[in-house]
Amino acid sequence: REREELLSLTMAAAALGRWDWDLQTGQAKADAQWHAMHGAAHPKEAMQHITHWGEQLSAEDQARIEAALAVHRNHPHQPFDITLRIAQPSNAPPRWVRSLGKIVSTSADGQPLRMIGTHSDISLRRQTERLEQFRSHVLDWLTQGKPLPDILRTIVDHVEQLNPAMLCSILLLDQGGRHLGQGIAPSLPDFYNAAINGVEIGPAVGSCGTAAYTGARVVVEDITTHPYWAPYKALAARAGLAACWSQPI
């Protein structure tokens, strides 16, 4: 009991989730940390079979697991080590998880019987790596003297890849510094881009017009109730927009 308690405390301190898999029956069990990582809020959602895990994986990741398992079965001295995307409930972004495992029991004829392992949440590290790659890519384009529209499109595409639930646009001020011009907004509807093209900036002119006028970030969490968006609520609703974060550059 003392060893089990020490192991549980160590796993909790390291933010690791533990899983235990019967390779013959497919029956599996996991601890509370594992279930929290997989978005399970209640004990009744506990994993009983390995298919519970598989339901949260893409077909691509399932294929990668099968390949990694085959390698581990043929070379047991090499640990099962794979990075996966775990689908989350309520359309939340997937969580990046590193899964480490090892076969710990085999039959008399060498068939694998049991496998145990851990899951660790590497979402923050993965996001940091992708941000650094994004930054390096944009800097490369700047030093190569690429055309401004190409650079802006690269920024928009990368931001949307990093935040799949967001739509990104970059608007430009005209030479007089008073009107917003259409920059790069490939994911916004054409009718929306056309409607805001040439809008004069000022206080309470949407999020972008206000941010450009004040030089300060503007965050509107609910477009339908915010006074800055009163003249544009119908336009935003038609475009399917619910919130807006505008950052002056």
Side-chain angles (χ1 to χ4, degrees):
R1 285 197 299 269
E2 288 177 353
R3 286 198 297 269
E4 180 66 23
E5 182 181 5
L6 179 59
L7 176 60
S8 297
L9 290 172
T10 302
M11 298 280 284
L16 295 174
R18 181 174 42 164
W19 49 268
D20 190 332
W21 178 16
D22 185 325
L23 295 170
Q24 299 299 304
T25 67
Q27 296 301 305
K29 55 185 177 181
D31 63 6
Q33 184 71 20
W34 187 97
H35 287 105
M37 210 173 293
H38 284 246
H42 305 291
K44 66 181 181 180
E45 298 170 339
M47 178 172 65
Q48 300 294 328
H49 196 274
I50 197 63
T51 54
H52 177 92
W53 180 9
E55 290 169 357
Q56 295 181 293
L57 302 176
S58 66
E60 176 187 353
D61 281 352
Q62 290 185 40
R64 291 173 57 241
I65 283 182
E66 290 297 329
L69 283 172
V71 170
H72 181 53
R73 283 177 172 140
N74 294 327
H75 305 281
H77 61 283
Q78 297 182 13
F80 171 81
D81 187 348
I82 192 168
T83 299
L84 306 163
R85 291 157 297 182
I86 305 297
Q88 299 295 299
S90 304
N91 295 321
R95 186 171 293 184
W96 286 91
V97 166
R98 182 185 183 190
S99 184
L100 282 169
K102 185 174 180 60
I103 294 171
V104 296
S105 178
T106 57
S107 63
D109 60 354
Q111 293 299 311
L113 299 177
R114 184 184 178 197
M115 189 171 178
I116 61 173
T118 62
H119 275 183
S120 55
D121 189 341
I122 61 169
S123 300
L124 181 59
R125 186 180 77 189
R126 183 83 177 187
Q127 184 80 342
T128 301
E129 291 172 351
R130 295 179 70 193
L131 284 170
E132 184 57 33
Q133 293 170 358
F134 168 34
R135 176 178 177 276
S136 298
H137 186 67
V138 173
L139 288 176
D140 286 344
W141 278 54
L142 287 170
T143 56
Q144 292 173 27
K146 296 288 185 178
L148 180 61
D150 292 346
I151 295 173
L152 298 184
R153 178 60 187 259
T154 297
I155 293 173
V156 167
D157 288 345
H158 277 73
V159 168
E160 292 184 342
Q161 290 170 16
L162 290 169
N163 303 279
M166 295 184 182
L167 306 179
C168 180
S169 69
I170 299 178
L171 301 176
L172 304 176
L173 282 173
D174 62 7
Q175 291 185 350
R178 293 183 57 192
H179 300 86
L180 288 174
Q182 186 173 331
I184 301 294
S187 297
L188 288 169
D190 290 340
F191 69 83
Y192 183 89
N193 290 329
I196 63 173
N197 188 33
V199 168
E200 184 172 0
I201 65 174
V205 179
S207 297
C208 295
T210 305
Y213 182 80
T214 63
R217 178 187 303 165
V218 174
V219 178
V220 171
E221 295 184 357
D222 187 352
I223 286 175
T224 62
T225 61
H226 202 284
Y228 289 0
W229 280 83
Y232 310 103
K233 284 196 295 185
L235 180 67
R238 185 181 169 199
L241 305 179
C244 186
W245 167 22
S246 297
Q247 173 69 43
I249 303 174

